[in-house]
Amino acid sequence: MSATLADPAPSRLRLGLRAATIAVVIALAAMPLLNRLPVDSAFHVSDFLVSITGKWICYAILALAIDLAWGYAGLLSLGHGAFFALGGYAIGMHLMRLIGPRGSYGHPVLPDFMVFLGYTELPFFWWGFQSFPYALFMALFIPGLLAGIVGFLAFRSRITGVYFSIITQAMTYALMLAFFRNDMGLGGNNGFTDFKELLGQPLNTALARSSLFYAALLSLVGVYFLCAYITRSKLGRVLIAIRDAESRVRFLGYSVTQAKLFVFVLSGMIAGLAGALYVPLVGIINPGEFAPTNSIEAVIWVAVGGRGTLIGAALGAFSVNAIKTWLTSVAPDLWLFALGGLFVAVTLLLPRGLLGLVRKGDR
Amino acid sequence: MKGNQLYLDGVTVMFDGFRALNNLSIIVEPGEMRAVIGPNGAGKTTMMDVITGKTRPTKGTVRFGDHDLTRMDEAAIANLGIGRKFQKPTVFDALTVFENLELALKAPRGPFACLRWALGGAARSRIEQVQDEIGLTARAGDRAAILSHGQRQWLEIGMLLMQDPQLLLVDEPVAGMTDQETEHTAALLRRIAGERSVVVVEHDLEFVRALGQKVTVLHEGTMLSEGAIDHVQNDPRVIEVYLGR
């Protein structure tokens, strides 16, 4: 435990924060149930609110992934949207395979876009995706592998700071261009959509929707505890030390490359999981998910909530997206200005984010 | 086992044609304490960088016992038992005094080992012992960011102690200290030297005199003079470099 002899007892604010977090999780868990109430009930929650909250839960998982890498190890990735999208594509490939002969062209194996493009057989990288466990594994493995390769090359060459951020941004941009190409065999421009079922359940039922919602919520809680376990371990302290004085950590005999690689790969995998949960919920994945702005927006969620706090990252994902949903419906043209303004305001006025207001003594 | 000799032979470091070290040769025997002095730009810090793997020599041999240090990275050299204290104290501001020492404690360094690490009784008492030695017991739970300059220096020395190195490299330990802090630091260094080899780089001749050890004088990247402090202080070449021209 990070608690040392002289660690002060948790303050009242901290206890309050913990209680508030638990209350929020319980409220989230109740949403699909309240959705079943009659529409005229005072406690009824609309379909729209449930579905958008499900999306935000996935975003919160992505935010935790970014906070683990950025808030603790100081790795500001501007390409986490790529890991998210790759996880989404892996599950999307599974969902496409499950459509089977129900596609417009009625081909027993090939998805519609392949028939349209004149494919006669399934490309090798689509093999195995009819299996859900395999697709789920790939949703974690491919983002982890990409994070491992990019991280290994960058950390071994001691690329840090803004240069690392630029490399990750270029990575997601390059992937976006690649995925836009039709001959990638991944749906090109249109991506994947029109999914029918998952795990034997038709996706358009209330049961499927609430199951996906609960899968996301459980994952959020699980990922939070995993991140909390890591950041409270000695490894967490090593990561903070790397963030603040990297070369000193080397002279203590720690391999900075290994520690960074561990956290970056894990973070990429968590982002992949978030994408895998997201795609069945929203019913579509296309190359737009790789857009550099998505990655930057996700970093802003973490900055707004408070980096290096975990809870703050999740809070930031929910609050910024709530503002986005509201503002894009009342004044869509203002959203990007508001996002930029929010980032500047938080950096200047709340360098430790919303959570910095509560947790004064944190690091 | 604390029996490795530090051996530098013909070490040259070139930075864009400038010779930071020029054919430098130094031997530090096991258990020896050595003071290295010299004017600014004499190559003292570059010498430390070469020993700890931060800088690769252009030419020459750097060995610690049987190990060729020119082929190892910083972490591997640190794990070999060579600890370094920087000129500017670098401790981890966001961590407490206790946590700083815990990170330095000799223990498996891999990410997975760190993840599973649990602070045992022996480790805890070792940390508390060092905390006491450097006079920071009362500050155990304070973050390093709020320590005074002198306390940060001591914390860094404490971290070196936790590493239990065979060879300690100490860069200007008393720069910016009050007289009282300087005295305390000299005493601390003499006490921890014990059976370790220690190389102290210093500007301050009075401090070097207080340590009372063999002295090497560097000038323009090469060794100018070596011997007892009185010997080097009377060496005409040293006088010229320090006072002359």
Side-chain angles (χ1 to χ4, degrees):
Chain A
M1 290 294 292
S2 96
T4 56
L5 284 177
D7 208 30
S11 68
R12 202 176 282 179
L13 272 172
R14 265 168 187 252
L15 288 175
L17 184 68
R18 200 168 295 173
T21 308
I22 293 170
V24 167
V25 172
I26 292 172
L28 287 172
M31 285 181 73
L33 300 176
L34 298 178
N35 177 244
R36 302 284 179 87
L37 293 175
V39 180
D40 50 8
S41 157
F43 295 101
H44 175 78
V45 173
S46 69
D47 287 352
F48 171 74
L49 197 57
V50 175
S51 89
I52 202 154
T53 308
K55 275 171 64 172
W56 295 348
I57 292 173
C58 299
Y59 290 155
I61 298 173
L62 174 61
L64 284 177
I66 291 173
D67 196 24
L68 187 64
W70 182 34
Y72 291 89
L75 299 167
L76 175 53
S77 163
L78 294 181
H80 256 54
F83 304 130
F84 182 86
L86 286 170
Y89 263 94
I91 281 299
M93 287 164 84
H94 175 62
L95 293 166
M96 290 303 274
R97 293 292 310 268
L98 292 184
I99 295 173
R102 283 169 288 182
S104 314
Y105 293 104
H107 194 285
V109 177
L110 294 186
D112 278 353
F113 76 91
M114 289 190 193
V115 180
F116 180 74
L117 290 172
Y119 282 67
T120 51
E121 57 186 42
L122 205 61
F124 73 92
F125 52 87
W126 278 78
W127 297 349
F129 274 96
Q130 71 277 19
S131 147
F132 176 75
Y134 176 78
L136 190 60
F137 168 78
M138 293 306 261
L140 301 178
F141 177 76
I142 297 292
L145 181 69
L146 178 67
I149 293 169
V150 171
F152 176 75
L153 294 173
F155 304 148
R156 193 194 50 167
S157 318
R158 304 203 176 164
I159 292 169
T160 55
V162 67
Y163 301 100
F164 178 72
S165 304
I166 291 170
I167 286 176
T168 52
Q169 175 94 112
M171 172 191 82
T172 193
Y173 188 64
L175 283 168
M176 179 179 74
L177 296 182
F179 274 70
F180 264 125
R181 294 165 61 244
N182 276 331
D183 46 10
M184 274 283 281
L186 289 165
N189 215 349
N190 299 317
F192 308 144
T193 189
D194 210 12
F195 307 132
K196 306 289 187 213
E197 59 170 281
L198 181 62
L199 293 171
Q201 277 294 319
L203 280 171
N204 56 6
T205 62
L207 177 65
R209 281 198 301 269
S210 47
S211 306
L212 289 168
F213 183 96
Y214 284 122
L217 187 59
L218 278 177
S219 303
L220 175 61
V221 173
V223 165
Y224 170 76
F225 280 112
L226 175 69
C227 293
Y229 169 69
I230 291 168
T231 55
R232 284 174 195 167
S233 74
K234 191 167 107 174
L235 181 63
R237 262 115 58 207
V238 171
L239 295 175
I240 289 173
I242 289 174
R243 180 190 74 193
D244 293 346
E246 182 171 325
S247 70
R248 188 73 186 83
V249 181
R250 285 204 182 90
F251 289 115
L252 283 182
Y254 290 93
S255 165
V256 169
T257 306
Q258 276 179 25
K260 281 184 172 178
L261 204 55
F262 172 87
V263 77
F264 195 58
V265 168
L266 183 67
S267 173
M269 290 169 72
I270 294 172
L273 173 69
L277 291 160
Y278 178 81
V279 167
L281 267 170
V282 299
I284 183 166
I285 173 83
N286 64 39
E289 288 298 334
F290 286 101
T293 46
N294 280 17
S295 298
I296 294 171
E297 230 178 282
V299 164
I300 295 177
W301 307 335
V302 177
V304 167
R307 73 177 182 129
T309 60
L310 297 181
I311 291 281
L315 177 73
F318 281 108
S319 48
V320 175
N321 280 294
I323 296 172
K324 180 179 182 177
T325 302
W326 169 72
L327 203 59
T328 46
S329 66
V330 297
D333 295 340
L334 284 181
W335 165 239
L336 282 179
F337 293 102
L339 183 67
L342 189 64
F343 189 53
V344 172
V346 166
T347 310
L348 291 177
L349 305 175
L350 292 176
R352 302 162 49 73
L354 291 174
L355 228 67
L357 295 171
V358 184
R359 287 186 176 176
K360 276 268 178 327
D362 247 36
R363 38 212 178 194
Chain B
M1 191 201 73
K2 296 192 193 287
N4 279 322
Q5 181 196 53
L6 177 69
Y7 176 88
L8 274 73
D9 186 35
V11 175
T12 298
V13 173
M14 308 261 290
F15 293 129
D16 292 328
F18 166 71
R19 282 171 193 270
L21 289 182
N22 188 7
N23 202 20
L24 175 69
S25 303
I26 284 183
I27 293 175
V28 180
E29 296 297 340
E32 185 185 345
M33 187 184 226
R34 175 73 62 90
V36 175
I37 62 172
N40 274 331
K44 296 168 301 199
T45 300
T46 307
M47 180 191 80
M48 296 247 181
D49 287 347
V50 165
I51 298 169
T52 52
K54 194 177 175 197
T55 301
R56 297 261 174 260
T58 316
K59 227 172 46 194
T61 310
V62 185
R63 305 189 69 84
F64 186 58
D66 294 331
H67 305 277
D68 181 356
L69 300 186
T70 61
R71 307 176 69 93
M72 300 169 74
D73 70 3
E74 294 102 316
I77 292 173
N79 287 325
L80 209 57
I82 298 183
R84 176 172 187 181
K85 208 201 94 36
F86 288 81
Q87 197 168 339
K88 186 170 154 271
T90 32
V91 294
F92 304 120
D93 281 349
L95 303 179
T96 65
V97 168
F98 187 94
E99 288 168 340
N100 267 281
L101 294 172
E102 186 197 18
L103 276 198
L105 177 71
K106 241 188 184 176
R109 294 298 204 221
F112 293 98
C114 291
L115 198 55
R116 286 191 306 266
W117 163 260
L119 185 66
R124 178 178 288 274
S125 57
R126 171 87 187 114
I127 295 169
E128 281 165 358
Q129 182 198 338
V130 168
Q131 218 162 237
D132 199 42
E133 250 178 279
I134 57 175
L136 292 179
T137 300
R139 313 295 304 265
D142 287 341
R143 288 195 287 144
I146 61 172
L147 298 180
S148 75
H149 178 75
Q151 288 170 329
R152 290 163 71 83
Q153 295 277 23
W154 300 333
L155 176 55
E156 204 184 10
I157 293 174
M159 288 164 75
L160 282 174
L161 282 176
M162 299 303 305
Q163 280 178 272
D164 192 23
Q166 295 178 38
L167 169 64
L168 257 175
L169 304 172
V170 190
D171 202 349
E172 303 210 14
V174 297
M177 277 196 179
T178 63
D179 288 352
Q180 201 188 357
E181 285 173 333
T182 302
E183 230 168 81
H184 182 106
T185 307
L188 195 57
L189 279 178
R190 271 197 304 269
R191 188 149 38 116
I192 66 176
E195 60 204 285
R196 302 172 220 274
S197 319
V198 183
V199 175
V200 185
V201 160
E202 213 9 285
H203 251 356
D204 182 340
L205 282 179
E206 283 318 301
F207 178 73
V208 172
R209 184 174 284 283
L211 289 176
Q213 305 291 334
K214 188 172 170 184
V215 178
T216 296
V217 184
L218 290 190
H219 178 55
E220 292 178 351
T222 194
M223 196 225 286
L224 189 68
S225 179
E226 198 166 70
I229 180 82
D230 289 322
H231 166 78
V232 301
Q233 266 193 318
N234 293 320
D235 186 326
R237 287 170 305 174
V238 176
I239 294 171
E240 194 196 314
V241 165
Y242 264 89
L243 306 170
R245 281 181 294 187

